[in-house]
Amino acid sequence: MWDYTEKVKEHFLNPRNVGEVENPDGVGEVGSLACGDALKLTFKLDEESRIEDVKFQTFGCASAIASSSALTELIKGKTLEEAENITNKDIADYLGGLPDEKMHCSVMGKEALEAAIENYRTGETVTHQMEGNVVCTCFGITDTEIEDVVRENKLETVEQVTNYCKAGGGCGGCTGEIERIIQQVRGEKKEPREQQSKRPKNLTNIQKIQLIQEIINEQVRPSLKADGGDLDLIDVVGDDVIVAFRGMCANCKMAELTLTDVVQAKLREYVSEDINVYENK
Amino acid sequence: MDTIYLDNNATTRVAEEVFEEMKPYFTEYYGNPSSMHTFGGQVGGKLTEARERCASLIGCDPSEITFTSGGTESDNWAISGILAATPNRRKLITSRVEHPAVLTMCRSMAPHGYNVVEIDVDEKGRLDLDQLEKEVDEDTALVTIMWANNETGTIFPVEKIAEIAHNSGAVFHTDAVQAVGKIPVNMAESNIDLLSVSGHKLHGPKGVGLLYVRKGVMLRPFIKGGHQESGRRAGTENTAGLIGLGKACQLAEENIDRENREVKRLRDKLESGLLEKCSDAFVNGDSSKRLPNTTSISFEYIEGEAILLMLDKYQICASSGSACTSGSLEPSHVLRAMGVPFTAAHGSIRFSLSIYNKEEEIDKVIEVMPPVIKRLRELSPFGRQQK
Ligand code: FES
């Protein structure tokens, strides 16, 4: 069982502000049944434009319920501007902390609040606008969302990103891209090779094959292996590179994407623009 | 009220008789069973008795039993040992609903050039025998498929599976950790080659188990060193634990009828009681071929961890196939493989009983649980729509 603080347990067993506000000024909905957690937040403002009443309904684990309850307590009586400044960390702190693996529950609270405020301002019933491009198809998480959690919570690893917003927690096909986003946000952009020598010219055939093997070993396989998969280089014929997926990857429905978006992209970046990667089925 | 423990597929309470049997072997008789002196010899004799008791429960010759550190080691060893013994065959077949001790081990063989195939199950968790028949071929070294599923209790037709494996000369191993002690197992009348048993699933201690290896089956050792266990598994035996395992097997043999009558009756009572009182709930798995002690029930539109935590308040212990309890984000691989919809997979609870459960305990769960489900549905945006 998870190591929850007394406050988390208390808010789970006796959640505050459960239900739906009648004639709400703002409604925010995030998550879905498929994802395993979802939150609906409704609020009403008083004459001074402060949040007079706020209620929630949550489908999820104990920490999702406790986070929602905490969120409603935190924003009650605040102006929308004040409420907007509340971060997922504030929600977690209010509860005396959440296990790392459950931080996505606090993020869900923050997102529901944003959606509800947006709904109030635009007057439209929005169900959590997805900005950016979907990076993690398993959980429908976009690059913008990942950038936000990385920035706000100073995250450093893919595992942390998964804990905070679930991205990367399914098939694992998006971990390479998450890694890239983390580096971009942190401004580190580690380049394993000198920028100018990224795509060396005039390689002999042997050198080319060696480089391909090196890139696969260093830049592709570690992330696949982390998820119980792997990939072997089978053959190189001119610019055609033939590989075979192993382990988890062999049965993965995302294998095709991994092939083009990860393997082929890396080889084009570091070896030659003309490379095409095929799977040896 | 005391704790109501309904999580016996996770682990069981050590039977009092087992504990008593083990005790002197920690303090009084602590000799090494491999020693030449009489002091160690006494322990060796007791270990022989333990082996005979285990053999009796599964109906085999004591020489076909090798003691291990538990189900996981037995499973890992069966797989690696057979692959090492048949290097010319490169295919390994298992199912999608295996315990991680088998599934993870099988998948880890893929990077070593093995063709690992995972057979599907249907919505009731029944194995796709047609697919199995198509996949088993001359290249198949091992078929490893569990006897009974730990989450749903669904029982697989292991004799039939063994026959299919043998038709192509493949070896058949079954992870029988959940089956042994709950349903009759007789290796003398069976065609199964290898079978894993775990001590703590049948009221023995944790950290002990055995691998049954049919006479004549070639298996490479997993742990190498001294020549304990006839050279098949090195390392000084966990004597007190294994003596406990022997006693637990003896008790399991005596209690097998009780398992299948009383435990089953209580399980059925719990199941029908909950289904009757809770809407939008259904049983996962094959009700007609199922362990007598297990039921997996999905409560739609709510989440398993939340249910468990509320039950914990009443000191009721069960387990959940939901993602949130395990730290992974996807719900149980077993329920997903069965195609249980997400709406229900997240809210699945497994109850697994033992001979120590009492009627009052079941009555209490039937009384306490429906309001818990109702309460959580009231909190859920989906529960409200559905009612
Ligand atoms: S795409 Fe992100 S985990 Fe599958």
Side-chain angles (χ1 to χ4, degrees), chain A residues 212 216 220 231-237 239-245 255-268 271-280:
Chain A
I212 291 172
I216 288 180
V220 179
L231 173 117
D232 282 340
L233 175 63
I234 302 291
D235 204 356
V236 179
V237 187
D239 284 325
D240 292 347
V241 175
I242 295 122
V243 296
F245 282 113
E256 226 164 86
L257 271 187
T258 313
L259 201 68
T260 51
D261 292 14
V262 181
V263 190
Q264 183 166 289
K266 287 278 180 211
L267 293 180
R268 284 188 179 175
V271 186
S272 152
E273 252 185 331
D274 305 321
I275 280 189
N276 290 310
V277 180
Y278 299 99
E279 190 184 353
N280 183 24

Side-chain angles (χ1 to χ4, degrees), chain A residues 1-2 4 12-15 18-20 32-36 38 40 56-63 65 101-102 104 138-139 162 166 169-171 230 232 246-248 251, chain B residues 107 110-114 116 118 300-303 305-310 312-313 323-331 342-343 346-347 375-376 378-382 384-385:
Chain A
M1 188 88 51
W2 297 101
Y4 286 134
F12 162 64
L13 292 172
N14 305 300
V18 174
E20 271 182 278
S32 74
L33 270 173
C35 291
K40 182 173 184 183
F56 80 91
Q57 290 172 308
T58 294
F59 161 69
C61 57
S63 48
I65 292 170
E101 295 84 349
K102 298 283 188 173
H104 59 87
C138 288
F139 291 101
T162 307
K166 292 193 166 193
C171 71
D230 205 353
D232 282 340
R246 307 283 185 219
M248 290 285 276
N251 311 322
Chain B
R107 286 173 181 172
H112 301 289
Y114 282 95
V116 181
E118 295 172 20
E300 294 195 85
Y301 313 112
I302 45 179
E303 204 277 330
E305 189 214 56
I307 304 174
L308 286 187
L309 225 63
M310 285 213 171
D312 197 53
K313 244 184 40 165
C324 267
T325 24
S326 60
S328 87
L329 298 167
E330 294 266 12
F342 272 111
T343 48
H346 283 293
R375 166 97 180 109
L376 285 169
E378 278 163 8
L379 282 177
S380 161
F382 307 113
R384 292 224 156 173
Q385 289 156 17

Side-chain angles (χ1 to χ4, degrees), chain B residues 95-245:
Chain B
S95 83
R96 284 178 65 194
V97 296
E98 294 300 308
H99 186 274
V102 167
L103 211 47
T104 311
M105 183 68 188
C106 286
R107 286 173 181 172
S108 78
M109 297 314 296
H112 301 289
Y114 282 95
N115 178 8
V116 181
V117 177
E118 295 172 20
I119 304 296
D120 295 328
V121 296
D122 69 6
E123 73 289 349
K124 290 200 159 171
R126 292 173 300 204
L127 198 75
D128 185 340
L129 284 176
D130 292 338
Q131 189 193 1
L132 179 73
E133 229 153 335
K134 275 187 211 119
E135 287 290 357
V136 179
D137 57 16
E138 303 295 312
D139 197 31
T140 308
L142 177 73
V143 176
T144 169
I145 287 173
M146 63 196 348
W147 194 315
N149 186 265
N150 48 318
E151 289 192 33
T152 60
T154 297
I155 294 173
F156 286 146
V158 278
E159 300 298 341
K160 176 79 191 148
I161 300 170
E163 193 187 306
I164 296 172
H166 291 164
N167 285 341
S168 295
V171 174
F172 176 58
H173 163 253
T174 185
D175 172 6
V177 159
Q178 295 295 346
V180 169
K182 292 176 194 146
I183 53 173
V185 167
N186 189 334
M187 300 317 286
E189 290 169 6
S190 144
N191 52 359
I192 294 166
D193 300 304
L194 302 139
L195 168 136
S196 304
V197 176
S198 165
H200 73 112
K201 307 285 186 181
L202 39 78
H203 304 290
K206 295 171 180 62
V208 287
L210 63 87
L211 182 67
Y212 158 85
V213 185
R214 181 175 293 284
K215 259 184 216 142
V217 171
M218 288 271 289
L219 188 75
R220 289 271 142 71
F222 189 47
I223 297 183
K224 301 177 190 83
H227 34 252
Q228 289 89 349
E229 296 294 298
S230 312
R232 285 179 296 189
R233 198 256 189 198
T236 301
E237 292 91 344
N238 172 3
T239 39
L242 292 168
I243 288 162
L245 172 66

Side-chain angles (χ1 to χ4, degrees), chain B residues 14-15 17-27 29 33 43 46-47 50-51 53-54 67-70 198-200 202-210 236-249:
Chain B
V14 173
E17 300 91 320
V18 168
F19 186 50
E20 287 304 320
E21 189 99 357
M22 287 165 66
K23 270 202 271 186
Y25 292 88
F26 287 107
T27 49
Y29 308 114
V43 181
K46 191 70 187 169
L47 211 52
R51 202 182 304 275
R53 285 170 166 175
C54 295
F67 288 133
T68 66
S69 67
S198 165
H200 73 112
L202 39 78
H203 304 290
K206 295 171 180 62
V208 287
L210 63 87
T236 301
E237 292 91 344
N238 172 3
T239 39
L242 292 168
I243 288 162
L245 172 66
K247 187 67 188 174
C249 284

